[in-house]
Amino acid sequence: PVLVKELGLKGAWIGKVDEEKGIVQFEYGCPEAVKFSLEDVGLLENGALNIHTTKFKSIANAVKNREIFIVPEVLEFPYPEKVKIYAQILNVRSICVIPIIKDGKIVSILSMWSDEFGFFTEKFKDLLEELQKDIAFALKKVELLYQEFIIGEFIQKTNELLIIADEKGKIEHINPYGKKLLGLEEEK
């Protein structure tokens, strides 16, 4: 919702990409009606978009070419007539699709819709690429924090003696079980 509100967008949605199956699974849309509009136009089959057969070429091209795809003027793009009519009904005039890449693999796409003709153009591609890199960085950071959390939980809960020392041998941490085993438990 923040991205849509701050940029004054008509809507945005995120889809999880499975390159092996060639599908984009709808995950989240803002407003929620985005999913229904995609289904109404016949772009989603069982909540997913097949990138090999879809008529929504902006998403297919973004995934296949692994790059940001911009449609400055929806009505001038070679979409099927049904898509163009629905775009007019929803007042969608410009679209941008950003593939989200993590560890060299496309994991998701972010599709943003504007009600302004020419809102997304090649002129702003550098900015969109920066957004793409920021999202990839954030995903990597979240993964690292999660791994750190899991390791921390393991260290705290394992029934093994774990001692962490620096390169000079100075003890930096002993897990709770290790403290108990060594008789170093703090008095409560």
Side-chain angles (χ1 to χ4, degrees), residues 7-155:
L7 293 179
L9 298 175
K10 187 70 179 171
W13 68 277
I14 296 173
K16 186 176 180 181
V17 176
D18 185 331
E19 288 184 278
E20 289 179 17
K21 292 181 181 177
I23 62 168
V24 177
Q25 183 71 42
F26 181 91
E27 290 289 318
Y28 175 78
C30 179
E32 289 292 324
V34 169
K35 180 177 183 180
F36 301 113
S37 64
L38 293 170
E39 288 174 342
D40 290 343
V41 181
L43 296 175
L44 297 181
E45 303 164 22
N46 299 320
L49 184 143
N50 184 318
I51 61 172
H52 303 295
T53 61
T54 185
K55 296 175 180 103
F56 209 53
K57 297 300 180 195
S58 52
I59 293 170
N61 288 337
V63 173
K64 289 177 185 177
N65 298 328
R66 306 174 64 79
E67 62 184 33
I68 295 170
F69 195 85
I70 296 170
V71 180
E73 308 285 346
V74 170
L75 299 179
E76 295 175 11
F77 192 76
Y79 284 128
E81 200 57 36
K82 186 175 182 182
V83 172
K84 288 182 180 183
I85 291 169
Y86 215 84
Q88 286 180 302
I89 292 168
L90 294 173
N91 197 28
V92 173
R93 302 295 185 241
S94 186
I95 295 174
C96 168
V97 181
I98 302 174
I100 307 302
I101 300 171
K102 182 177 152 196
D103 299 326
K105 181 179 175 187
I106 297 176
V107 293
S108 300
I109 58 106
L110 169 61
S111 179
M112 299 182 287
W113 304 352
S114 174
D115 57 2
E116 292 179 39
F117 286 112
F119 185 86
F120 298 108
T121 64
E122 291 294 321
K123 184 169 85 171
F124 296 107
K125 195 161 188 179
D126 289 343
L127 179 65
L128 295 169
E129 287 171 347
E130 185 66 31
L131 175 61
Q132 180 185 39
K133 289 175 187 172
D134 290 347
I135 292 170
F137 174 79
L139 288 174
K140 187 70 174 170
K141 181 72 174 174
V142 166
E143 182 181 327
L144 291 172
L145 289 171
Y146 179 71
Q147 289 173 353
E148 188 176 292
F149 170 77
I150 295 296
I151 291 169
E153 286 292 302
F154 172 75
I155 288 171

